[in-house]
Amino acid sequence: MVSIFFTELFKTVGAIHDEIEIICINDGSTDQTLQKLIAQKNAAPKHLSIRIIDFSRNFGKEAALTAGVEHARGDAVIPIDTDLQDPPELINALIAKWKEGYEVVLAKRCDRTSDTWLKRKTAKWFYRLHNSISHPPIPEDVGDFRLLSRAAVDALKKLPERERFMKGLFTWVGFKTAKIEYVRLSRKAGDTKFPWLKLWNFALDGITSFSTVPLRIWSYLGFFISLFSFAYGSAIIVRTLVQGVDIPGYASLIVIILFLGGLQLVGIGVLGEYLGRIYMETKNRPIYIIRQEL
């Protein structure tokens, strides 16, 4: 996959007359990725500067993306994956928009037929839910593939959080933004490293990073349940005074207990999500550790 990606990338950046720096993040790979990156560095054209950042272990996509942004030295920075679903030839269009005066240029996926039906639907539901309860809303169908000006990169480097949701952080810093639409391609090689469980956790990270609405919901829900319980209890007292003592129903009692118990467990789970984020932030550990730079 590495050689295929660099072949396509060199076709694009070879025609760019500006000075180009390519930063490769090796996120704790266990195959021959590092050796292949070194081979590409040695074989690269002389006008291209390739730097390799080798992590001490796998720290995840958000950490790798953070490292690339923090170590980039150019006036404009373009994060891109090596699976070629985001076409390198679009880099020229991103740079052209940036030269028009835009500080951030987004690559918006106008056609995602290469993804499965379920993935397209769940992504759409996530964007709708996230943007309805979070601020600022993140652009729909926009991934990490984009152009960031030096001003935007410097602003991102000031954000100290360890538990990072980069899509949200990219949007949060703002700046003058333009969009370019493109067709998302099929993966050229390899398999996705994001199974459904990781995608679910990724969505939870996105919501809890930029919204406290899930916490607020339980305050309102508790109020309405208390109000309903008060009204229902008052009705039982009135009926008992008028009609006498009724035989209590075991089944309805069990249903109510299980329902309220389930609500309490869900509420504790939501609290746990936010407490877990606070716990990880208070450790103040580095986002990643670099084993070597080549």
Side-chain angles (χ1 to χ4, degrees), residues 3 11 31 53 58 73 86 95 101 106-107 129 141 147 166 184 226 243 254 269 287:
S3 59
K11 291 179 183 178
D31 52 15
I53 297 176
N58 179 265
R73 299 175 295 197
D86 301 323
I95 294 175
L106 308 178
L129 174 61
D141 291 327
L147 182 145
M166 293 302 292
R184 186 168 173 80
S226 299
Q243 299 179 358
I254 289 297
I287 301 172

PDB file of all heavy atoms in Angstrom, residues 3 11 31 53 58 73 86 95 101 106-107 129 141 147 166 184 226 243 254 269 287:
ATOM      1  N   SER A   3       3.889   1.795  -1.333  1.00  0.00           N
ATOM      2  CA  SER A   3       4.461   2.093  -2.647  1.00  0.00           C
ATOM      3  C   SER A   3       3.390   2.615  -3.607  1.00  0.00           C
ATOM      4  O   SER A   3       3.656   3.529  -4.404  1.00  0.00           O
ATOM      5  CB  SER A   3       5.130   0.841  -3.221  1.00  0.00           C
ATOM      6  OG  SER A   3       4.193  -0.219  -3.337  1.00  0.00           O
ATOM      7  N   LYS A  11       3.122  11.729  -8.455  1.00  0.00           N
ATOM      8  CA  LYS A  11       2.556  12.260  -9.704  1.00  0.00           C
ATOM      9  C   LYS A  11       1.973  13.649  -9.493  1.00  0.00           C
ATOM     10  O   LYS A  11       2.048  14.515 -10.369  1.00  0.00           O
ATOM     11  CB  LYS A  11       1.461  11.324 -10.226  1.00  0.00           C
ATOM     12  CG  LYS A  11       1.955   9.992 -10.739  1.00  0.00           C
ATOM     13  CD  LYS A  11       0.772   9.153 -11.201  1.00  0.00           C
ATOM     14  CE  LYS A  11       1.227   7.767 -11.662  1.00  0.00           C
ATOM     15  NZ  LYS A  11       0.068   6.916 -12.064  1.00  0.00           N
ATOM     16  N   ASP A  31       4.163  -4.515  10.742  1.00  0.00           N
ATOM     17  CA  ASP A  31       4.618  -5.136   9.498  1.00  0.00           C
ATOM     18  C   ASP A  31       5.889  -4.418   9.009  1.00  0.00           C
ATOM     19  O   ASP A  31       6.659  -3.905   9.812  1.00  0.00           O
ATOM     20  CB  ASP A  31       3.508  -5.120   8.442  1.00  0.00           C
ATOM     21  CG  ASP A  31       2.924  -3.723   8.250  1.00  0.00           C
ATOM     22  OD1 ASP A  31       3.556  -2.744   8.705  1.00  0.00           O
ATOM     23  OD2 ASP A  31       1.835  -3.615   7.664  1.00  0.00           O
ATOM     24  N   ILE A  53       8.142  10.002  11.143  1.00  0.00           N
ATOM     25  CA  ILE A  53       7.990  10.028  12.592  1.00  0.00           C
ATOM     26  C   ILE A  53       7.495   8.655  13.023  1.00  0.00           C
ATOM     27  O   ILE A  53       6.400   8.229  12.665  1.00  0.00           O
ATOM     28  CB  ILE A  53       7.010  11.129  13.031  1.00  0.00           C
ATOM     29  CG1 ILE A  53       7.562  12.506  12.629  1.00  0.00           C
ATOM     30  CG2 ILE A  53       6.749  11.064  14.531  1.00  0.00           C
ATOM     31  CD1 ILE A  53       6.626  13.647  12.921  1.00  0.00           C
ATOM     32  N   ASN A  58       1.354   1.885  18.957  1.00  0.00           N
ATOM     33  CA  ASN A  58       0.159   2.410  18.297  1.00  0.00           C
ATOM     34  C   ASN A  58      -0.600   3.320  19.255  1.00  0.00           C
ATOM     35  O   ASN A  58      -1.035   2.890  20.325  1.00  0.00           O
ATOM     36  CB  ASN A  58      -0.738   1.251  17.839  1.00  0.00           C
ATOM     37  CG  ASN A  58      -2.016   1.747  17.175  1.00  0.00           C
ATOM     38  OD1 ASN A  58      -3.036   1.871  17.825  1.00  0.00           O
ATOM     39  ND2 ASN A  58      -1.944   2.029  15.889  1.00  0.00           N
ATOM     40  N   ARG A  73       5.858  22.088   9.020  1.00  0.00           N
ATOM     41  CA  ARG A  73       6.501  23.393   9.049  1.00  0.00           C
ATOM     42  C   ARG A  73       6.060  24.300   7.906  1.00  0.00           C
ATOM     43  O   ARG A  73       6.500  25.448   7.828  1.00  0.00           O
ATOM     44  CB  ARG A  73       8.023  23.216   8.999  1.00  0.00           C
ATOM     45  CG  ARG A  73       8.580  22.438  10.183  1.00  0.00           C
ATOM     46  CD  ARG A  73      10.069  22.168  10.063  1.00  0.00           C
ATOM     47  NE  ARG A  73      10.377  21.289   8.926  1.00  0.00           N
ATOM     48  CZ  ARG A  73      11.528  20.634   8.792  1.00  0.00           C
ATOM     49  NH1 ARG A  73      12.477  20.769   9.702  1.00  0.00           N
ATOM     50  NH2 ARG A  73      11.733  19.869   7.738  1.00  0.00           N
ATOM     51  N   ASP A  86      -9.032   9.081  -0.551  1.00  0.00           N
ATOM     52  CA  ASP A  86      -8.959  10.521  -0.801  1.00  0.00           C
ATOM     53  C   ASP A  86      -7.900  10.743  -1.875  1.00  0.00           C
ATOM     54  O   ASP A  86      -6.706  10.515  -1.639  1.00  0.00           O
ATOM     55  CB  ASP A  86      -8.582  11.270   0.475  1.00  0.00           C
ATOM     56  CG  ASP A  86      -9.581  11.031   1.592  1.00  0.00           C
ATOM     57  OD1 ASP A  86     -10.773  10.948   1.300  1.00  0.00           O
ATOM     58  OD2 ASP A  86      -9.151  10.926   2.755  1.00  0.00           O
ATOM     59  N   ILE A  95      -4.827  23.595  -2.898  1.00  0.00           N
ATOM     60  CA  ILE A  95      -3.833  24.667  -2.875  1.00  0.00           C
ATOM     61  C   ILE A  95      -4.319  25.886  -3.652  1.00  0.00           C
ATOM     62  O   ILE A  95      -4.106  27.035  -3.231  1.00  0.00           O
ATOM     63  CB  ILE A  95      -2.494  24.149  -3.441  1.00  0.00           C
ATOM     64  CG1 ILE A  95      -1.906  23.080  -2.506  1.00  0.00           C
ATOM     65  CG2 ILE A  95      -1.500  25.293  -3.613  1.00  0.00           C
ATOM     66  CD1 ILE A  95      -0.652  22.416  -3.036  1.00  0.00           C
ATOM     67  N   GLY A 101      -7.116  32.940  -0.976  1.00  0.00           N
ATOM     68  CA  GLY A 101      -7.282  33.684   0.270  1.00  0.00           C
ATOM     69  C   GLY A 101      -7.989  32.930   1.371  1.00  0.00           C
ATOM     70  O   GLY A 101      -8.153  33.462   2.479  1.00  0.00           O
ATOM     71  N   LEU A 106     -11.922  22.597   2.775  1.00  0.00           N
ATOM     72  CA  LEU A 106     -12.461  21.276   3.093  1.00  0.00           C
ATOM     73  C   LEU A 106     -12.678  20.464   1.829  1.00  0.00           C
ATOM     74  O   LEU A 106     -13.085  21.006   0.797  1.00  0.00           O
ATOM     75  CB  LEU A 106     -13.786  21.409   3.842  1.00  0.00           C
ATOM     76  CG  LEU A 106     -13.799  22.315   5.077  1.00  0.00           C
ATOM     77  CD1 LEU A 106     -15.202  22.367   5.664  1.00  0.00           C
ATOM     78  CD2 LEU A 106     -12.804  21.822   6.108  1.00  0.00           C
ATOM     79  N   ALA A 107     -12.420  19.170   1.924  1.00  0.00           N
ATOM     80  CA  ALA A 107     -12.726  18.245   0.834  1.00  0.00           C
ATOM     81  C   ALA A 107     -13.998  17.489   1.222  1.00  0.00           C
ATOM     82  O   ALA A 107     -13.974  16.641   2.113  1.00  0.00           O
ATOM     83  CB  ALA A 107     -11.569  17.279   0.608  1.00  0.00           C
ATOM     84  N   LEU A 129     -27.253  13.943  14.610  1.00  0.00           N
ATOM     85  CA  LEU A 129     -27.317  13.972  16.068  1.00  0.00           C
ATOM     86  C   LEU A 129     -26.270  14.921  16.631  1.00  0.00           C
ATOM     87  O   LEU A 129     -26.581  15.773  17.490  1.00  0.00           O
ATOM     88  CB  LEU A 129     -27.108  12.563  16.630  1.00  0.00           C
ATOM     89  CG  LEU A 129     -27.013  12.446  18.162  1.00  0.00           C
ATOM     90  CD1 LEU A 129     -28.303  12.933  18.802  1.00  0.00           C
ATOM     91  CD2 LEU A 129     -26.695  11.016  18.573  1.00  0.00           C
ATOM     92  N   ASP A 141     -20.088  14.956   5.904  1.00  0.00           N
ATOM     93  CA  ASP A 141     -19.351  14.244   4.851  1.00  0.00           C
ATOM     94  C   ASP A 141     -17.978  14.852   4.578  1.00  0.00           C
ATOM     95  O   ASP A 141     -17.483  14.804   3.449  1.00  0.00           O
ATOM     96  CB  ASP A 141     -20.176  14.188   3.556  1.00  0.00           C
ATOM     97  CG  ASP A 141     -21.388  13.291   3.687  1.00  0.00           C
ATOM     98  OD1 ASP A 141     -21.311  12.291   4.420  1.00  0.00           O
ATOM     99  OD2 ASP A 141     -22.422  13.590   3.055  1.00  0.00           O
ATOM    100  N   LEU A 147      -7.180  21.204   3.707  1.00  0.00           N
ATOM    101  CA  LEU A 147      -6.002  22.066   3.777  1.00  0.00           C
ATOM    102  C   LEU A 147      -6.163  23.018   4.949  1.00  0.00           C
ATOM    103  O   LEU A 147      -7.225  23.615   5.136  1.00  0.00           O
ATOM    104  CB  LEU A 147      -5.807  22.850   2.481  1.00  0.00           C
ATOM    105  CG  LEU A 147      -4.577  23.757   2.426  1.00  0.00           C
ATOM    106  CD1 LEU A 147      -3.991  23.795   1.019  1.00  0.00           C
ATOM    107  CD2 LEU A 147      -4.906  25.199   2.874  1.00  0.00           C
ATOM    108  N   MET A 166     -10.528  15.133  16.350  1.00  0.00           N
ATOM    109  CA  MET A 166      -9.910  16.116  15.471  1.00  0.00           C
ATOM    110  C   MET A 166     -10.901  16.791  14.532  1.00  0.00           C
ATOM    111  O   MET A 166     -10.748  17.975  14.213  1.00  0.00           O
ATOM    112  CB  MET A 166      -8.787  15.456  14.671  1.00  0.00           C
ATOM    113  CG  MET A 166      -7.603  15.008  15.522  1.00  0.00           C
ATOM    114  SD  MET A 166      -6.835  16.360  16.454  1.00  0.00           S
ATOM    115  CE  MET A 166      -6.125  17.335  15.140  1.00  0.00           C
ATOM    116  N   ARG A 184     -15.607  10.005  -3.340  1.00  0.00           N
ATOM    117  CA  ARG A 184     -14.778   9.132  -2.499  1.00  0.00           C
ATOM    118  C   ARG A 184     -14.588   7.798  -3.194  1.00  0.00           C
ATOM    119  O   ARG A 184     -15.557   7.131  -3.569  1.00  0.00           O
ATOM    120  CB  ARG A 184     -15.431   8.937  -1.134  1.00  0.00           C
ATOM    121  CG  ARG A 184     -14.567   8.167  -0.139  1.00  0.00           C
ATOM    122  CD  ARG A 184     -15.162   8.276   1.257  1.00  0.00           C
ATOM    123  NE  ARG A 184     -14.514   7.449   2.236  1.00  0.00           N
ATOM    124  CZ  ARG A 184     -13.369   7.752   2.847  1.00  0.00           C
ATOM    125  NH1 ARG A 184     -12.756   8.877   2.544  1.00  0.00           N
ATOM    126  NH2 ARG A 184     -12.841   6.952   3.745  1.00  0.00           N
ATOM    127  N   SER A 226     -40.225  12.406  38.076  1.00  0.00           N
ATOM    128  CA  SER A 226     -40.668  12.780  39.421  1.00  0.00           C
ATOM    129  C   SER A 226     -42.059  13.406  39.382  1.00  0.00           C
ATOM    130  O   SER A 226     -42.915  13.124  40.240  1.00  0.00           O
ATOM    131  CB  SER A 226     -39.674  13.762  40.048  1.00  0.00           C
ATOM    132  OG  SER A 226     -38.400  13.181  40.176  1.00  0.00           O
ATOM    133  N   GLN A 243     -62.426   4.510  47.066  1.00  0.00           N
ATOM    134  CA  GLN A 243     -62.827   3.130  46.787  1.00  0.00           C
ATOM    135  C   GLN A 243     -62.284   2.119  47.798  1.00  0.00           C
ATOM    136  O   GLN A 243     -62.608   0.943  47.728  1.00  0.00           O
ATOM    137  CB  GLN A 243     -62.370   2.732  45.376  1.00  0.00           C
ATOM    138  CG  GLN A 243     -62.986   3.600  44.292  1.00  0.00           C
ATOM    139  CD  GLN A 243     -62.510   3.199  42.897  1.00  0.00           C
ATOM    140  OE1 GLN A 243     -61.696   2.293  42.761  1.00  0.00           O
ATOM    141  NE2 GLN A 243     -63.022   3.887  41.881  1.00  0.00           N
ATOM    142  N   ILE A 254     -43.016  -4.751  39.179  1.00  0.00           N
ATOM    143  CA  ILE A 254     -41.740  -5.207  38.633  1.00  0.00           C
ATOM    144  C   ILE A 254     -41.351  -4.402  37.398  1.00  0.00           C
ATOM    145  O   ILE A 254     -40.199  -4.000  37.217  1.00  0.00           O
ATOM    146  CB  ILE A 254     -41.815  -6.712  38.293  1.00  0.00           C
ATOM    147  CG1 ILE A 254     -41.865  -7.541  39.578  1.00  0.00           C
ATOM    148  CG2 ILE A 254     -40.622  -7.134  37.437  1.00  0.00           C
ATOM    149  CD1 ILE A 254     -40.636  -7.406  40.453  1.00  0.00           C
ATOM    150  N   GLY A 269     -24.100   5.535  33.162  1.00  0.00           N
ATOM    151  CA  GLY A 269     -23.196   5.325  32.023  1.00  0.00           C
ATOM    152  C   GLY A 269     -22.820   6.627  31.348  1.00  0.00           C
ATOM    153  O   GLY A 269     -21.655   6.841  30.984  1.00  0.00           O
ATOM    154  N   ILE A 287       0.231  12.992  24.251  1.00  0.00           N
ATOM    155  CA  ILE A 287      -0.699  12.380  23.306  1.00  0.00           C
ATOM    156  C   ILE A 287      -0.039  11.215  22.580  1.00  0.00           C
ATOM    157  O   ILE A 287      -0.686  10.228  22.229  1.00  0.00           O
ATOM    158  CB  ILE A 287      -1.199  13.443  22.301  1.00  0.00           C
ATOM    159  CG1 ILE A 287      -1.890  14.581  23.057  1.00  0.00           C
ATOM    160  CG2 ILE A 287      -2.158  12.834  21.277  1.00  0.00           C
ATOM    161  CD1 ILE A 287      -2.238  15.762  22.183  1.00  0.00           C
TER     162      ILE A 287
END
